[in-house]
Amino acid sequence: MSVLLIAGSPTAPSRSTALLDAAALRLQRRGLAVQRLVVRELPAQALLHADFGNAQVQEAIHSVAAAQVVIVATPVYKAAYSGLLKTFLDLLPQAAFKGKTVLPLATGGSPHHMLALDYALRPVLGALGAGHILPGVYASDAQVTLTPEGAYQLQVDIADRLAEAVDTLLAEALPSASCSGFEPVHFSRVRCSV
Ligand SMILES: Cc1cc2nc3c(=O)[nH]c(=O)nc-3n(C[C@H](O)[C@H](O)[C@H](O)COP(=O)(O)O)c2cc1C
C-alpha cells in the first residue's frame, strides 16, 4: 500500500507544502511509507508543452498509478488551485485517480477562498476518476506562520484539523493502519477534571 503526496506550489518554502509535511509526519508515525511528488521539480518545458513522453513526467504519472491514497496540496491562485498543479493534472490519464482515496489540502492568503477546494479542485479530481474525495483542509496564511529559522509551522487549530483529516483518511482508506497504536499527546494538551 502506498501514499503519494503531491505538492502543487510553484514556490519553496511553501505553506501548502507545510500542510503536506504535517500530514506526512502523522502518516509516518503510524508506520506508513509516503512518497512525494513535487510538481515544481518536474521539467517546466515538458509541463507547459504537454510532453507526455518526457521521462520525469512518465515517472510522475507512474507514481500516481502506483498509489492507493493521494494527498494533494496547492496554494489558492486567483480563486482556484495553482496553474502548476493544473499543468500536471492535464498530463494524467483520464482515470488516473480511479479507485483511489484523495485528500485535498490548500492554503490561501485569506479565508475568503476556502471554497476553492470544492468548486475548483474537487471537480477535476472527480473527472480523473477519484472515487472517494475526503473533505479538504484549508488554511489561511495566518494559520501557517514562519519561525525565526525560516520554516513554516502550523497553528494549533489547523494542525488539529489536519490531524483529524489524516485520521479519517486512514480509517476510511487504510483501516488496518488506523488501529496500529495511539499518537503521543503533549502534556500541555492533557485536560484533567477534579
Ligand atoms: C499569483 C498568486 C495568486 C494568489 N491568489 C490568491 C487568491 O485568489 N486567494 C487567496 O486567498 N490567496 C491568493 N494568493 C495567496 C496564496 O494562496 C497564499 O499565500 C498561499 O498560502 C501560498 O501557498 P504556497 O506557499 O504553498 O505557495 C495568491 C498568491 C499568488 C502568488
Side-chain angles (χ1 to χ4, degrees):
M1 169 270 313
S2 62
V3 182
L4 179 67
L5 311 177
I6 302 179
S9 173
T11 67
S14 143
R15 283 186 163 90
S16 55
T17 307
L19 293 184
L20 215 49
D21 292 340
L25 195 61
R26 196 161 181 90
L27 291 166
Q28 284 163 337
R29 283 184 179 155
R30 300 290 170 96
L32 291 167
V34 299
Q35 205 196 335
R36 284 167 192 274
L37 170 48
V38 181
V39 181
R40 72 190 291 274
E41 291 175 359
L42 295 175
Q45 179 147 343
L47 291 173
L48 289 177
H49 292 190
D51 182 0
F52 295 87
N54 176 276
Q56 283 173 265
V57 167
Q58 284 281 316
E59 198 183 320
I61 292 171
H62 285 140
S63 63
V64 172
Q68 205 176 324
V69 170
V70 177
I71 305 180
V72 54
T74 178
V76 173
Y77 272 12
K78 303 291 186 277
Y81 58 95
S82 74
L84 176 70
L85 180 60
K86 178 70 166 139
T87 60
F88 177 64
L89 295 178
D90 286 350
L91 294 179
L92 291 173
Q94 195 58 51
F97 288 135
K98 189 162 190 269
K100 303 181 197 304
T101 301
V102 184
L103 172 62
L105 310 174
T107 57
S110 78
H112 301 298
H113 285 140
M114 67 186 306
L115 291 178
L117 277 177
D118 290 329
Y119 65 68
L121 185 56
R122 183 174 289 267
V124 179
L125 298 173
L128 288 166
H132 191 25
I133 308 170
L134 291 168
V137 176
Y138 180 90
S140 65
D141 284 358
Q143 293 174 303
V144 185
T145 51
L146 262 184
T147 64
E149 294 76 36
Y152 281 120
Q153 67 181 3
L154 309 193
Q155 298 300 298
V156 173
D157 54 347
I158 196 68
D160 285 350
R161 194 133 37 90
L162 186 62
E164 217 173 279
V166 171
D167 290 350
T168 303
L169 178 76
L170 285 171
E172 296 190 11
L174 312 162
S176 57
S178 67
C179 50
S180 60
F182 294 101
E183 273 291 297
V185 177
H186 191 271
F187 186 72
S188 64
R189 298 176 69 184
V190 175
R191 299 277 178 270
C192 306
S193 55
V194 288

